Amino acid sequence: MHFLDFVAGCISGAMGLTVGYPLDTVKVRLQTQSVYQGLLHCMSETYTHEGLHGFFKGMTFPLLSTGLINSFAFGSYSTALDLLTGSRHSDPSQRKPASAAHVFTAGSFAGLTQLSVSIPIDLVKVRLQGQTSADQYRGSVHCVDEILKKEGPRGLFKGGLALAIRDLLSYGLYFLSYELICEALTEAGKEPGMLSIMTAGGLAGVLSWALATPMDVVKARLQMSEAGGRTYNGILDCMRTSVKEEGVRVFFKGVALNSVRAFPVNAITFLSYERLMKLFHSG
């Protein structure tokens, strides 16, 4: 795999996370707790009882590790795309043309490869974001320690299958929509400009999260079991119980928030990645 893709993916992922983390915290709370009447109520309650710090709960751990997840995703995507197109260039501008099927497959592969890293990291993030007081977990390290003590090593991978289903398809759409939109916004024979990259990245994030949100809700609820949340016997039981108690619309909790958050996060992520790759290959 191309080292520079990993480096660019790492830095761009950390930048994107920083931009979108407060809204991500609100999204997790809306999806896992029924006490909130909506977006504004959740934000108001969080600020009233926890202050600004409440929106950044659990950020340290994913900030240090999301770069690793993103580096796996972008590095794997780049490598898979090269293999599928028969290209040997790590520089995106030198790659052979790729079909939509190639891009989607490479994107899905990227979603698959980052799972071993993202599953435990995402679990800790959701557990910390979901608690409204510091009674249970005092931080990332304490959270991991408590999970291992009470649930064993398998506990760190709770909700992993739901996360895998979510990412396998959404990553494919993510990279495919980015490439197609970026190409549509760029004049033939020219490299995409900053506005084109940010627009394509932002829209790609919105589209992929629209696809991912239903399984994201299931994933978050499974992750919060054993941590004050309801206990479910797997994905299907979670889906059946959630629909029975809250209706089909439960699977779209946080979809609007995901879309609002996804645009700036992924606009920054792709812009950072593309500019870093251009910088790396300028010499």
Side-chain angles (χ1 to χ4, degrees), residues 13 15 22 25 35 45 59 66 82 89 105 123 130 146 182 186 194 199 202 227 229 242 260 266-267 270 281 283:
M15 294 180 69
T25 297
V35 298
E45 286 293 294
M59 181 177 172
T66 195
D82 279 357
H89 297 284
T105 301
L123 174 69
E146 287 294 297
C182 199
T186 305
M194 183 176 72
T199 302
S242 297
V260 171
N266 291 284
F270 268 106
H281 292 284

Side-chain angles (χ1 to χ4, degrees), residues 230-250:
R230 183 167 187 160
T231 300
Y232 302 99
N233 296 317
I235 294 175
L236 293 179
D237 180 51
C238 179
M239 294 175 71
R240 283 194 296 263
T241 303
S242 297
V243 170
K244 183 178 180 180
E245 296 181 351
E246 301 175 60
V248 177
R249 68 178 185 177
V250 67

Side-chain angles (χ1 to χ4, degrees), residues 26 70 79-80 84 100 106 119 132 139 148 158 161-162 166 175 197-198 219 260:
V26 176
N70 221 51
T79 300
L84 290 170
I119 291 174
T132 55
L148 290 174
K158 188 177 292 292
L161 180 57
R166 186 198 77 176
F175 283 103
I197 293 172
M198 294 186 72
K219 182 266 309 177
V260 171

Side-chain angles (χ1 to χ4, degrees), residues 208-227:
S208 62
W209 269 110
L211 175 65
T213 295
M215 194 52 65
D216 189 55
V217 173
V218 175
K219 182 266 309 177
R221 294 188 170 205
L222 290 171
Q223 290 172 324
M224 284 301 292
S225 62
E226 309 295 337

